[in-house]
Amino acid sequence: MHMTCSRCEYHFCWICLGDWKTHGSATGGFYSCNLFQESKEQKNEKMQKEAELKKFTFYSERFYEHLKSIKRAEDKLPKAIQGFNQIVEVIGMVMNTDFLEEAMNLVIECRSMIAFMYPLFYFMEFKEEKCKEITLYQQGLLEMAIESVDKKTDELLNVHYTGATSLDSLDKLVKFRQNVAGMTRDLKSYFQRMISHLSNPQFQQEFDDNVQAVKATPQLSLQRTYTREFEKDGMRIWRCPRCAFDNSIFTRQCEICEYQRSEKENL
């Protein structure tokens, strides 16, 4: 997630804190910090458990960061619209905000897809390396397009908070609207390509094979401890004893492996 320091204007990634220059096409077309690098060295039982915990932490952090970004985008929309209307009023023009609503709603929809791809990648073991590479490549393109729209619309937040803006003329405002509309079209294209890829027979076969493998995995022995409800990041959840995914307390079936929680397991 693209961040810029307000003091030195250093561009960095909020997740890994690395230089943003390493998060574009120069690193292979996808965000380097979103790809978990598993060690290929032989491990004893302790090392295997540590590696599994590291992998789980890696994907769960990115999952929850995108959920937070969705909330920020939802909060940002009315503020961005207010900022745009302030500029239009000062210039003395009449201009609708449909393009802003379309852009931000699409960002929210795309972030929702990206967020739930991280639990997917945590459990999936790709048989075909090419399928994995294409999936990560498409994900990277989609994330870059999301960040472009998000960063562009951030310009309106300055107006909301400070009243200051660089969009102080009709020409600049029209160009801003054209840029946002163009970025939104690009984002929609990458979103549709991602959906198309996830729907193709090769990926579906990989997914189905992994689902069957997870269902065949024996349940953890500490089932009663694992399925107790607890609070995490302000939400009440229960942890699946089969795959360790954190589910909403309002569901009885695990969203990932379809494990059915009984009424007694939360006692």
Side-chain angles (χ1 to χ4, degrees), residues 61-119:
E61 283 179 349
R62 281 151 181 77
F63 170 71
Y64 284 112
E65 282 300 328
H66 274 283
L67 292 188
K68 292 176 185 176
S69 293
I70 292 171
K71 182 65 169 63
R72 285 195 292 267
E74 292 171 343
D75 294 340
K76 171 183 169 180
L77 179 56
K79 297 172 184 176
I81 291 176
Q82 182 180 349
F84 184 80
N85 287 333
Q86 286 179 236
I87 299 172
V88 170
E89 185 177 348
V90 171
I91 294 176
M93 293 294 297
V94 176
M95 198 176 295
N96 65 52
T97 58
D98 290 350
F99 76 101
L100 268 181
E101 294 181 34
E102 180 184 5
M104 293 309 302
N105 286 330
L106 184 59
V107 164
I108 292 169
E109 188 175 7
C110 291
R111 282 206 186 277
S112 298
M113 168 182 273
I114 293 294
F116 285 95
M117 285 184 69
Y118 285 108

Side-chain angles (χ1 to χ4, degrees), residues 93-147:
M93 293 294 297
V94 176
M95 198 176 295
N96 65 52
T97 58
D98 290 350
F99 76 101
L100 268 181
E101 294 181 34
E102 180 184 5
M104 293 309 302
N105 286 330
L106 184 59
V107 164
I108 292 169
E109 188 175 7
C110 291
R111 282 206 186 277
S112 298
M113 168 182 273
I114 293 294
F116 285 95
M117 285 184 69
Y118 285 108
L120 181 67
F121 286 149
Y122 172 74
F123 290 103
M124 280 194 73
E125 297 290 341
F126 287 86
K127 295 180 180 178
E128 295 291 334
E129 190 65 24
K130 189 66 175 178
C131 182
K132 179 180 180 180
E133 290 177 0
I134 293 174
T135 304
L136 291 171
Y137 178 73
Q138 295 290 353
Q139 179 197 13
L141 292 176
L142 180 58
E143 289 207 43
M144 284 189 283
I146 291 171
E147 298 298 340

Side-chain angles (χ1 to χ4, degrees), residues 6 10 25 49-50 53 59 74 81 108 129 143 149 153 168 174 190-191 213-214 234 236 239 246 250 252:
S6 59
Y10 174 68
S25 57
K49 290 181 178 179
E50 290 175 347
L53 177 60
Y59 285 111
E74 292 171 343
I81 291 176
I108 292 169
E129 190 65 24
E143 289 207 43
V149 176
T153 52
D168 51 6
V174 170
Y190 288 126
F191 184 46
V214 169
R236 294 291 297 174
R239 182 161 294 164
D246 291 338
F250 299 108
R252 283 286 167 192

Side-chain angles (χ1 to χ4, degrees), residues 116 118-120 122-123 207 211 214-215 240 242-247 253-259:
F116 285 95
Y118 285 108
L120 181 67
Y122 172 74
F123 290 103
F207 179 78
V211 168
V214 169
K215 287 183 177 180
C240 177
R242 177 184 285 158
C243 68
F245 181 74
D246 291 338
N247 297 272
Q253 177 175 290
C254 177
E255 295 180 28
I256 299 298
C257 69
E258 300 180 357
Y259 171 82

